[in-house]
Amino acid sequence: MNQNEKLNSQPLRKVFVTVGSTSFDELIAAINKQSFLAAIQSLGVEEIKVQYGNGKVLPRTSHNEKLKLESFQYKSSIIEDFNWADLVISHGGAGSVLESLRAKKKLIIVVNKELMENHQLELAEALTRNGYALLASTESLVEAIKNLDFQKLKPLPEPNVFPVVTVLHQELNNCS
Amino acid sequence: MMIGLLVLLSAFLLVWSAYKEQARITTYRRNMSKSANWTCWYKQDFERFIQSCAVNKRRRSLMVVLGSGGHTAEMIQILRAFGQTMLSNEDKSLCSLENTCQVVYIVASSDNHSIAKARCLHDRDGALSLFSYQTLCIPRSRYVGQSYFSSLFTTIYSFMVSCWKLLWCDTPDVLICNGPGTCVPVVFIMFIRNVFYNLARRKSRTRTVFIESVARVRSLSLSGRILYPFVHRFLVQWPDMMEKYPLVEYVGRCL
């Protein structure tokens, strides 16, 4: 009941799943599972868009009439898809994560553990520690969706490029 | 015998001056990282830059290393802001902006996406429309997912090719890179060039600015760790780094 109230105030109709520029087969496999689809449908989700990159596992095409599944491999710009979605499930890549947070979307980060030194986990942990996003693994994704709690989430502060630009100006000054 | 001695002597001279150059960089960075903690944009630095451009009448050159994916996105963001500060300069009479900068992009070969983005910044976007630009292609030093061991060889190959290409280009005033593998050989070559400039008592030298990726929160990336002693400014985007590495400057998130 409590959860229903929360979801009524912030309806979740559209979900966007992205794996970034490489591949993340485990995430696609996780969202192909029946348990995931059931969990996400119980939230009231009607449409899912999947950007699946160049992995071996393809997202399933259609589930039933109530849940629309769309997928594409790459696009030149996926900002529209971030804006379109209510909830984003993303790999841990800095670009996708920060872009969706800047589009003010609810975000679940699923970290790809196979990448070098697992540096994606660092950013994901820093963002979850500050309460900007939620963190899940491919195994715990269904679990995370079942107990979604967006109440604690805070919006990400705007970035500030100007300190870096100041440093550039300084350096261009120094070498007269 | 004499030739051997000569070679040894010059090798010693080279190593010694490289050591001195490195020590100079360390002192410079220690001063810089102590002097300010960046939280806002200091306008006087920009104005001083514009004025010195007007006085010196010399075109500055900026060398930018573009990586792939997220690295490029970050760099484009920074360059766009840089261009906009130039455009927003109200007092246009201080200098003709065409004389301020030219940009040289270094891109990994097979990376047309980054070139297109940079070109867009100059032509369509308009933020850097006042600057002329050229591109320089060098081979990649590490593909995503390549192992450490094999990346050693590709780095050496990339180093040799970029040596050859960069030795014949003009000395840039400032080199900015933000952490793709491609920037490692470029920074090293600029370091070596600085050493030679010092030996020849010439003035034109390159300053290198390294911006660690926003994805790095607590530890430096591989290229960051390699280049840590060799760059003039090392900027990080998360405050946690400052405890671990004393010579970095925290500038806040720029993506």
Side-chain angles (χ1 to χ4, degrees), chain A residues 29-49:
Chain A
I31 64 162
N32 277 347
K33 276 182 196 152
Q34 198 62 48
S35 55
F36 170 82
L37 294 173
I40 216 152
Q41 262 189 310
S42 70
L43 293 177
V45 172
E46 289 158 2
E47 283 180 72
I48 303 183
K49 246 188 217 179

Side-chain angles (χ1 to χ4, degrees), chain A residues 140-174:
Chain A
S140 69
L141 183 60
V142 177
E143 207 52 38
I145 282 178
K146 275 179 187 161
N147 344 307
L148 277 184
D149 182 14
F150 292 123
Q151 297 297 308
K152 288 179 205 150
L153 290 192
K154 289 182 290 183
L156 188 74
E158 286 296 307
N160 185 5
V161 196
F162 289 113
V164 180
V165 174
T166 309
V167 171
L168 281 186
H169 285 313
Q170 277 186 344
E171 292 306 311
L172 283 166
N173 256 342
N174 281 341

Side-chain angles (χ1 to χ4, degrees), chain A residues 98 116-117 119 122-123 125 129 156-157 159-163 166 169-176, chain B residues 28 38 41 45-46 48-49 52 56 58 60 85 142 148 207 216-219 225 233 251 253:
Chain A
L98 292 173
M116 189 179 173
E117 295 175 77
H119 67 261
E122 256 182 46
L123 178 69
E125 273 178 351
R129 198 170 51 232
L156 188 74
N160 185 5
V161 196
F162 289 113
T166 309
H169 285 313
Q170 277 186 344
E171 292 306 311
L172 283 166
N173 256 342
N174 281 341
C175 52
S176 51
Chain B
Y28 179 72
W38 303 107
W41 178 40
D45 280 308
F46 166 62
R48 206 182 301 146
F49 167 59
S52 81
N56 291 335
R58 190 172 70 81
R60 306 302 167 86
T85 57
R142 185 177 173 277
Y148 273 125
R207 301 276 188 159
R216 294 300 179 149
V217 180
R218 277 170 315 205
S219 62
R225 264 176 280 155
R233 307 291 286 266
V251 291
R253 213 159 39 79

Side-chain angles (χ1 to χ4, degrees), chain B residues 13 38 63 78 88 91 110 129 163 172 216 230:
Chain B
L13 197 68
W38 303 107
M63 191 177 264
I78 291 162
S88 68
D91 193 0
S110 81
S129 55
C163 259
R216 294 300 179 149
F230 299 106

